[in-house]
Amino acid sequence: MALTPKENYLGLYKGQLPEWIPSWGMGMPMDRAPVLGMFVNVSKNGGFPRSPDPDTPFRMPEEWTNDWGVTMVSNPEANYGGLPKPGHFILDDIRNWDKVIKKPEMIMPTIDEIDWEAMAKEQTAHIDRSTTGVMVTIGNGVFQFIVGFMGFEEALIALVEEPEVCKEFFAWADDYYVPIAKKAVEYYKPDMCYMADDSAAKYAPFVSPKTYREVLKPSYARAAAFATERDIPIAFHNCGKAEAYLADMHDFGVKYWDPCQTENDLLNCKAMFDDIVICGGFDFVPPADGSEITEEFTREYVRSTIDKLAPGGRYAWMGMYMGPAGDEVAPKINEWIRDEVYTYGDKYYEKH
């Protein structure tokens, strides 16, 4: 293989046909990762909590308080992901945000007093940047941000009834996040930047394209500017049926969209822009007749996904079987998935 994993992946949005199906995240091994994400934390509170168990690094504690004072909980039903604690929202009227919400305290009094050079050097020391890219997260997922303070119902009402107040609130929060993004881009010198905001449900967006464009998009665009002005591609995470936002995502510099779930018309999405990469398209659904999940069923599922979305390039694998917490079958299914992505995906472009 003439290309490095980084080159094989980063060439996608430029129209380069990869040598093999690139893969990133969602249970795929890190030894072939084209990029490695950096957790850039400057919060005195410690930022995103991690499990002390090395076998479950992304398992959240049962309860904790995040940087913004929101009580978060985790449980088996949510697959141990973090969610705002039901019934414990701290903001009941968006018009009072400035009386309730406080910015997180940073590890140093001002952002310029942080030793960014030393922090970046320490975090990236183990990475061979000739073969593997560095990715930093920038910006603030403003939809999930407001939902965390108010809950879904009140947040959705606020976005519709008080859009100007919401924009003011988001701009204030951006004043905290954007300087961090600027420093991260300057000192980590990333090959990619990552943004995330789950603003869509399974069958429809949570907000209209108009609200997305007028209220949420300005925040995304402000954070993205530090990457786009340096020609750094942006990857954006948005689950659910988010295709209605794709043109706006393209406007503020998104080149990679994940996890691109199958409720979207992904072939049409791929055709809309010649510089957006579809990452995903694999929502593992067990056999409809309730029969046992077999190895052949699983491998064929992987092959059919690749066959549908990989022709012509601009596609990266992102997917796994996310069964309920404690599912004893899931590790074996994911082993089949990973192996098929490699055995079939590694030779795909030689044969097609």
Side-chain angles (χ1 to χ4, degrees):
M1 296 179 179
L3 298 176
T4 67
K6 179 173 75 171
E7 293 168 338
N8 196 57
Y9 189 61
L10 293 179
L12 292 176
Y13 79 96
K14 300 175 182 178
Q16 171 189 292
L17 192 69
E19 291 186 356
W20 67 92
I21 301 293
S23 61
W24 179 78
M26 295 289 285
M28 301 305 288
M30 290 296 100
D31 60 351
R32 288 184 39 159
V35 293
L36 291 176
M38 299 291 102
F39 182 55
V40 182
N41 174 54
V42 298
S43 166
K44 197 170 185 178
N45 187 43
F48 198 64
R50 297 290 186 182
S51 166
D53 181 357
D55 293 328
T56 58
F58 297 104
R59 180 169 173 169
M60 301 293 99
E62 289 185 7
E63 185 170 314
W64 76 98
T65 301
N66 74 8
D67 291 347
W68 293 86
V70 176
T71 300
M72 305 291 288
V73 294
S74 132
N75 54 45
E77 290 75 16
N79 240 319
Y80 295 106
L83 297 169
K85 188 173 184 178
H88 287 72
F89 301 111
I90 63 176
L91 181 63
D92 59 10
D93 187 334
I94 190 61
R95 294 170 296 183
N96 294 331
W97 70 263
D98 57 333
K99 301 179 182 66
V100 176
I101 311 301
K102 307 298 180 185
K103 291 180 180 178
E105 186 178 357
M106 290 192 291
I107 56 177
M108 297 296 289
T110 71
I111 195 167
D112 290 323
E113 293 177 78
I114 296 171
D115 191 340
W116 285 92
E117 185 174 5
M119 188 164 63
K121 184 177 181 179
E122 179 182 1
Q123 280 194 270
T124 61
H126 65 292
I127 301 174
D128 181 353
R129 298 199 62 167
S130 68
T131 63
T132 308
V134 163
M135 180 173 68
V136 297
T137 299
I138 59 175
N140 173 33
V142 286
F143 179 75
Q144 290 181 280
F145 184 71
I146 192 173
V147 167
F149 291 120
M150 306 187 75
F152 271 98
E153 295 88 346
E154 293 300 325
L156 290 170
I157 291 169
L159 287 164
V160 172
E161 292 189 346
E162 299 288 350
E164 294 305 316
V165 176
C166 290
K167 287 165 65 176
E168 179 185 74
F169 178 37
F170 296 155
W172 173 83
D174 288 340
D175 288 341
Y176 174 81
Y177 280 111
V178 168
I180 296 172
K182 184 178 181 181
K183 291 288 188 180
V185 170
E186 179 181 354
Y187 284 93
Y188 284 76
K189 297 178 173 52
D191 301 281
M192 294 184 71
C193 288
Y194 199 68
M195 303 176 73
D197 203 8
D198 286 325
S199 56
K202 181 172 178 60
Y203 298 112
F206 281 119
V207 301
S208 69
K210 181 176 184 293
T211 297
Y212 186 95
R213 189 171 301 121
E214 295 178 359
V215 185
L216 306 182
K217 183 179 175 180
S219 177
Y220 305 142
R222 184 179 172 193
F226 298 111
T228 55
E229 68 189 14
R230 292 169 173 80
D231 294 322
I232 300 172
I234 293 172
F236 198 102
H237 171 97
N238 200 342
C239 298
K241 193 173 176 61
E243 61 188 316
Y245 307 144
L246 191 58
D248 293 295
M249 291 161 61
H250 185 264
D251 281 351
F252 59 80
V254 173
K255 303 299 184 185
Y256 295 75
W257 170 31
D258 74 69
C260 287
Q261 293 184 278
T262 54
E263 48 265 31
N264 300 281
D265 183 347
L266 296 179
L267 290 178
N268 181 61
C269 290
K270 188 175 177 181
M272 285 174 63
F273 301 99
D274 62 6
D275 58 350
I276 286 186
V277 180
I278 300 298
C279 307
F282 182 79
D283 296 334
F284 190 91
V285 179
D289 61 6
S291 60
E292 180 184 356
I293 300 172
T294 66
E295 180 173 354
E296 181 50 36
F297 173 88
T298 303
R299 290 180 181 276
E300 173 55 31
Y301 211 142
V302 172
R303 293 192 295 268
S304 64
T305 300
I306 291 174
D307 287 344
K308 177 182 178 180
L309 296 171
R314 290 193 294 113
Y315 171 72
W317 179 268
M318 177 177 277
M320 64 184 295
Y321 173 57
M322 300 182 70
D327 185 342
E328 296 181 357
V329 180
K332 176 56 69 175
I333 294 172
N334 283 315
E335 183 181 319
W336 295 332
I337 289 171
R338 288 190 292 268
D339 185 68
E340 193 63 25
V341 170
Y342 293 152
T343 57
Y344 189 69
D346 279 359
K347 303 293 184 182
Y348 182 83
Y349 290 107
E350 290 182 18
K351 300 177 178 179
H352 296 80

